[in-house]
Amino acid sequence: MLGLVPDVPRGRWLCAIIIFGALLTLLVIAERMLAATGFDTYRVFAWPPALFFCAIVAYIVPVFHYVTMRTDQAAGALAGYLDISPDELTQVRQSIYRKRWPWHVRVTVVSIACWLLQSWLLAGGWRGMTFALQHSLLSFLMAVMPLLVWLTLSVATTALTDNAKLFRRLTAHIRIDLLDAASVAPVGTMAVHSTLVVIGALALFPIMWVSGPIDAWTTTPGVLLLSIVVVVLVVVPLWPLRTRLRDVKRNTLYDLQQQINDRRSQLAPGAVGSDEVLQRLLSFRREITAVNEWPVDVGALTRLFSYAVIVPLTWIGAALIEMMVDHFLS
């Protein structure tokens, strides 16, 4: 999927436009061909699901490319704080955007299995699936488009989950500097950016709901799986690093308190307030106490909050549009 994005200025936007336009054009041509035969295309075709298929694929491919490149940059930003060799770091960065063929086979098989199960549930059996695949080009496309969605979603979410696990392993090799946020901030930035693919996909689901009630098997599996993936992408890389930060902070504060106690015991009662060494230790303790135990800065938190707000806003917007349409039609 990364190779679908051209290496030109605005390449991701160009990729999204081409994918959306190509898929939509193919569906329109198939719909016109079937309508020309006198068949009622409404029986096998509906614009909201068709637009959803086109939009989600056109969204996932370029955004997955963007997130993967940012993940690679985050790994590079950690280079100066990792206790691993340059060769090991190079291998780590290559594994972010290069997967071996067994990985692709596994993801493809799982995607096809999920598509077959969902299609079987929607069609009510294999006979309905066979009819959809053989009846016309339009019905074939409407049956196969979900497979394309499953493939793009599976590739993106599996790769992002693998990257989250990769950064989880890297956290054990980070030389944490409590006074230098750059030693841990790239992990938080990577985790937040990774959710953009999944949250954006969730925000597109209301497109299918505009046409009215739809089968729960159309959206429920995807929504549940993507919601779980969002949690995994955030928790897997951040929780172990948060644990390390908490332990390092706790140990540092304990050592500082011991030094403060030792220094106080060496001073006369009247000299405690004027001793420079003691004042520096107290100042250092205040700095360490104020250190955030989560490796996420304000900018990353703001971005994560803005991402999270997108989904309920789009779902509420879709519900309002549907209510307005029903009102005017009635």
Side-chain angles (χ1 to χ4, degrees):
M1 283 184 4
L2 296 176
L4 295 176
V5 178
D7 188 15
V8 297
R10 305 290 181 181
R12 298 188 188 99
W13 285 101
L14 182 62
C15 174
I17 293 171
I18 291 175
I19 291 176
F20 184 83
L23 294 177
L24 187 62
T25 300
L26 186 60
L27 286 170
V28 170
I29 292 174
E31 194 271 342
R32 291 294 88 197
M33 289 174 58
L34 185 59
T37 65
F39 186 83
D40 185 5
T41 59
Y42 181 76
R43 292 170 57 186
V44 297
F45 181 75
W47 275 112
L51 290 174
F52 168 77
F53 297 149
C54 299
I56 196 168
V57 176
Y59 172 83
I60 290 174
V61 174
V63 175
F64 174 63
H65 180 277
Y66 167 76
V67 172
T68 302
M69 296 303 105
R70 292 303 299 263
T71 302
D72 179 60
Q73 293 173 9
L78 287 174
Y81 303 96
L82 292 172
D83 288 325
I84 61 176
S85 67
D87 291 339
E88 291 175 317
L89 181 59
T90 300
Q91 293 177 1
V92 166
R93 298 184 67 173
Q94 288 179 348
S95 66
I96 292 173
Y97 52 86
R98 291 181 183 177
K99 306 297 181 183
R100 299 180 182 275
W101 68 265
W103 183 92
H104 291 281
V105 172
R106 289 195 302 270
V107 173
T108 302
V109 170
V110 171
S111 301
I112 294 175
C114 292
W115 168 68
L116 287 174
L117 177 60
Q118 184 184 36
S119 300
W120 178 74
L121 292 170
L122 289 172
W126 298 113
R127 181 177 298 180
M129 288 182 59
T130 304
F131 173 81
L133 293 172
Q134 296 179 350
H135 178 265
S136 66
L137 175 61
L138 180 60
S139 62
F140 174 82
L141 290 175
M142 291 298 291
V144 173
M145 279 287 190
L147 173 60
L148 186 59
V149 175
W150 274 109
L151 283 170
T152 52
L153 273 177
S154 298
V155 169
T157 55
T158 305
L160 293 175
T161 303
D162 288 348
N163 292 339
K165 294 177 181 177
L166 177 65
F167 271 73
R168 180 187 180 94
R169 293 192 296 270
L170 285 179
T171 57
H173 302 282
I174 295 178
R175 296 189 303 273
I176 294 178
D177 186 345
L178 294 177
L179 298 181
D180 186 0
S183 64
V184 294
V187 180
T189 302
M190 180 279 304
V192 171
H193 276 100
S194 296
T195 63
L196 180 60
V197 174
V198 184
I199 290 178
L202 285 170
L204 292 173
F205 272 85
I207 295 177
M208 288 192 292
W209 305 340
V210 175
S211 59
I214 59 175
D215 195 317
W217 290 112
T218 303
T219 58
T220 302
V223 171
L224 289 178
L225 289 174
L226 291 177
S227 300
I228 294 173
V229 170
V230 170
V231 177
V232 170
L233 292 178
V234 174
V235 173
V236 167
L238 294 186
W239 187 261
L241 186 54
R242 187 259 179 184
T243 302
R244 283 201 64 201
L245 276 170
R246 182 195 60 193
D247 293 342
V248 171
K249 178 179 177 180
R250 182 181 300 169
N251 294 335
T252 303
L253 287 174
Y254 177 81
D255 292 340
L256 281 172
Q257 189 61 49
Q258 293 297 110
Q259 296 179 48
I260 290 171
N261 293 339
D262 292 342
R263 186 63 182 176
R264 290 177 62 189
S265 64
Q266 299 172 9
L267 298 174
V272 171
S274 60
D275 185 71
E276 294 183 2
V277 175
L278 181 59
Q279 295 305 315
R280 285 198 296 269
L281 289 172
L282 292 173
S283 178
F284 189 31
R285 187 179 64 178
R286 286 193 295 270
E287 292 288 337
I288 298 301
T289 302
V291 172
N292 184 12
E293 294 182 0
W294 285 95
V296 183
D297 56 22
V298 176
L301 281 175
T302 303
R303 184 183 296 271
L304 181 60
F305 177 76
S306 63
Y307 290 170
V309 169
I310 290 174
V311 176
L313 286 181
T314 55
W315 289 12
I316 292 172
L320 291 175
I321 292 174
E322 185 177 350
M323 291 172 59
M324 292 175 60
V325 172
D326 289 342
H327 173 74
F328 286 111
L329 289 179
S330 60

